[in-house]
Amino acid sequence: MTQMNQAMIEKYRSSFLKEVETNVEEGHWVKMCMQCGVCSGSCPLGPHWEHPPQEIFMMIRANKRDEVLKSSSMWFCTSCYNCIARCPRGLPITHIMHGLASYSKKLGLAPKSQPTESFGQIFWNSIASNGRVNELKIGLALQFKDGFGQGVKNAMAQKDLGMAMMKTKRMNPMEFFGGHTCKDKSGIARMLKKAQEVEDQHIANYGAGK
Amino acid sequence: MAKREYSYYPGCSSQKKASADNFMRSANAMCDALDITLKEIDDWNCCGASIGYAGGGEIPRLSLSARNIALSKQQHGDADIIAPCAACWIATKEAEERVEHNPRVREGINAALAEIGLKVEPAQMPKTRHMVEMLVEDIGLDTIANGKKKGLEGLTIAGYVGCQTNRPFGIAGESFENPKYLDNMVEAVGAKAVDRYAKKVACCSGALMFSEPEKGQALVRDIIEAAYDGGADMIVTPCQLCQMNVESYQTDINKRFGTKFNIPVVYYTQLIAVAYGKSAEEAGLDGQIIKATKLEALAGK
């Protein structure tokens, strides 16, 4: 959606903060950050973030649009909610990181082949098509995401775990041919399509209102 | 014991023959022992979990949980929705919060739900609660302790609470940094809880175990090491993803870090089921990849 990206650049030329406040989930909280750094220090994968949350918040205010939206940082959030529990200003940091990641992907700016981004999309596709997650298929899709050859290698490396899961009745090979689904799959598809339209409309309207 | 009824949905991982199949079997055995009836929400869907944001924005993701809430209301009236899974619990509570407090999000969700003839309204949604809340607040740990058929004597257990059963909502009256309910539950069934378990509320890496295995396994290594340091025979957890991450990668972790881990990871529901006289199979102990031998022996007595 680079067209949307272009539209957003023109609309919010001088203020990335305003863009985030309007278009990113819980983005209106960003200006409340007081740069104490507790979030960065509390993050289980903190050392792996190119820019930990505290930095991301300051970069948003400093108009570093590309550096933020193209960063792999937000994709290292494990959703542990430690940052939310500890933030002295009560910022919903986990949600803001998810929101930034999701927004960057919508604009086509998320880093390519970021493993968590790929896995998250595989996960979402499974929900969107079945209403419930098909654990076997998402596992296989992740193993085979870089082609067949690599997929076979990955699957071989994980075969003992797969066998153990089947032996303990915690994975069913028949899931491959269908498996757990909702009855009203078409209804769920309609609901999600409408929800997506509403969300895109909100951004296209330059976010009139919150 | 007073009979209780709740609405509920198991969530994707606790379905039959899914990765937490043994959790749901033990939860059913526990509910049977405690005279609790769980009425499943017909045609419930996935909550989007912690990683759904990659594909679904705010409104699509929250619509999923809103559908479950609306279906529960339609089928089971105002009965509380019991979530046995931390991700389901958080996602459903978050949907409720946004519906209550954010008119734009509420309108968006209701526009989506209108496509399937459903609706959610502020102040009229059933309450969503974790299965642990049901035990602690409605049944009470004293009642559980007094009603047990046998004490799990001789077991030392590290209570691994993890993240999402603890944050951002947590169990009322507990601290985020050192919640006590899981230790109290361990003591209620007659086992010994590891005192000051250093990694009690540390993160297992969640869904990133799949996408960033090296980084995820390093986190789990520390969680297991701290349990051994505390003298634990096994680890207990309230979370399906924690269970999977901490139990099933021990072979990989041993290979990667030169450790010799082989520690069982069970659910609180399995401890209670065994204490209430259920068999090893009823308590889902046949679902352990690393056999909980000492607990099995107690179940057989």
Side-chain angles (χ1 to χ4, degrees), chain A residues 5-195:
Chain A
N5 186 35
Q6 202 50 44
M8 290 305 121
I9 290 171
E10 279 161 31
K11 171 73 187 171
Y12 293 105
R13 200 175 291 277
S14 59
S15 178
F16 181 40
L17 175 62
K18 187 136 224 146
E19 181 179 353
V20 169
E21 286 178 334
T22 316
N23 291 343
V24 172
E25 183 171 347
E26 301 290 311
H28 58 280
W29 281 92
V30 168
K31 62 177 172 294
M32 293 299 290
C33 170
M34 62 179 189
Q35 291 292 300
C36 72
V38 164
C39 51
S40 307
S42 302
C43 178
L45 293 184
H48 301 289
W49 291 50
E50 186 186 9
H51 307 291
Q54 169 202 9
E55 261 177 58
I56 295 272
F57 292 137
M58 189 49 102
M59 287 164 75
I60 292 170
R61 290 193 280 199
N63 238 13
K64 303 267 183 208
R65 187 178 190 273
D66 264 24
E67 289 90 332
V68 170
L69 293 177
K70 290 180 178 170
S71 171
S72 66
S73 298
M74 300 83 79
W75 299 98
F76 284 103
C77 170
T78 64
S79 308
C80 79
Y81 295 82
N82 218 3
C83 51
I84 288 193
R86 290 180 180 171
C87 176
R89 284 284 179 93
L91 271 74
I93 302 170
T94 312
H95 299 302
I96 303 169
M97 293 304 132
H98 292 176
L100 282 169
S102 168
Y103 186 59
S104 77
K105 194 165 179 319
K106 196 189 284 282
L107 299 182
L109 299 175
K112 299 282 167 273
S113 317
Q114 209 292 330
T116 302
E117 184 271 321
S118 306
F119 180 56
Q121 187 63 53
I122 290 168
F123 190 90
W124 180 259
N125 294 347
S126 184
I127 304 171
S129 52
N130 304 307
R132 294 179 192 173
V133 170
N134 186 312
E135 294 179 328
L136 177 63
K137 282 193 196 166
I138 63 166
L140 288 173
L142 182 68
Q143 287 177 343
F144 283 85
K145 81 178 171 58
D146 298 320
F148 187 75
Q150 187 57 46
V152 172
K153 269 187 219 157
N154 293 344
M156 287 306 285
Q158 288 294 312
K159 79 173 180 344
D160 289 348
L161 177 56
M163 293 303 288
M165 293 296 283
M166 277 187 237
K167 215 175 127 193
T168 51
K169 304 191 203 90
R170 288 162 62 180
M171 191 197 279
N172 180 2
M174 297 310 282
E175 282 279 302
F176 190 75
F177 305 103
H180 300 296
T181 58
C182 285
K183 287 179 271 186
D184 190 18
K185 280 193 284 194
S186 70
I188 291 172
R190 283 202 311 280
M191 173 184 85
L192 291 177
K193 183 166 172 280
K194 182 69 185 178

Side-chain angles (χ1 to χ4, degrees), chain A residues 22 25-26 44-45 48 74-82 84-86 95 97-98 101-102 105-106 114-117 119-121 123-124 127 131-133 135 142 157-158 160-161 164-165 167-172 175 180-184 187-188 190-192 194-196 198-199 202 208-210, chain B residues 12-13 15-22 25 40 42-46 48-61 63-64 67 90 94 98 102 104 108 111-113 115-116 163-164 167-168 176-177 203 205-208 210-212 215 219 243-244 247-249 252 286-289 291:
Chain A
T22 316
E25 183 171 347
E26 301 290 311
L45 293 184
H48 301 289
M74 300 83 79
W75 299 98
F76 284 103
C77 170
T78 64
S79 308
C80 79
Y81 295 82
N82 218 3
I84 288 193
R86 290 180 180 171
H95 299 302
M97 293 304 132
H98 292 176
S102 168
K105 194 165 179 319
K106 196 189 284 282
Q114 209 292 330
T116 302
E117 184 271 321
F119 180 56
Q121 187 63 53
F123 190 90
W124 180 259
I127 304 171
R132 294 179 192 173
V133 170
E135 294 179 328
L142 182 68
Q158 288 294 312
D160 289 348
L161 177 56
M165 293 296 283
K167 215 175 127 193
T168 51
K169 304 191 203 90
R170 288 162 62 180
M171 191 197 279
N172 180 2
E175 282 279 302
H180 300 296
T181 58
C182 285
K183 287 179 271 186
D184 190 18
I188 291 172
R190 283 202 311 280
M191 173 184 85
L192 291 177
K194 182 69 185 178
Q196 195 61 56
V198 172
E199 182 133 316
H202 166 68
K210 280 226 175 98
Chain B
C12 298
S13 58
Q15 299 177 94
K16 281 207 175 67
K17 290 198 181 183
S19 57
D21 172 280
N22 58 330
R25 285 191 286 135
E40 186 165 332
D42 184 46
D43 211 35
W44 59 270
N45 53 259
C46 173
S50 52
I51 199 133
Y53 67 84
E58 185 177 20
I59 309 267
R61 217 177 58 245
S63 295
L64 287 169
R67 180 178 178 272
I90 289 192
E94 273 168 11
R98 303 276 168 96
N102 189 327
R104 176 185 67 79
L113 285 181
E115 292 286 319
I116 47 174
C163 299
Q164 296 193 348
R167 299 181 298 261
F176 292 133
E177 306 293 343
C203 179
S205 77
L208 271 73
F210 303 94
S211 52
E212 301 279 0
K215 301 177 180 73
L219 297 182
Q243 197 284 335
M244 171 85 189
E247 182 195 36
S248 64
Y249 297 98
D252 288 0
D286 53 346
Q288 307 307 119
I289 293 173
K291 296 293 169 207

Side-chain angles (χ1 to χ4, degrees), chain B residues 31 131 199:
Chain B
C31 287
M131 190 173 266
K199 293 290 173 181

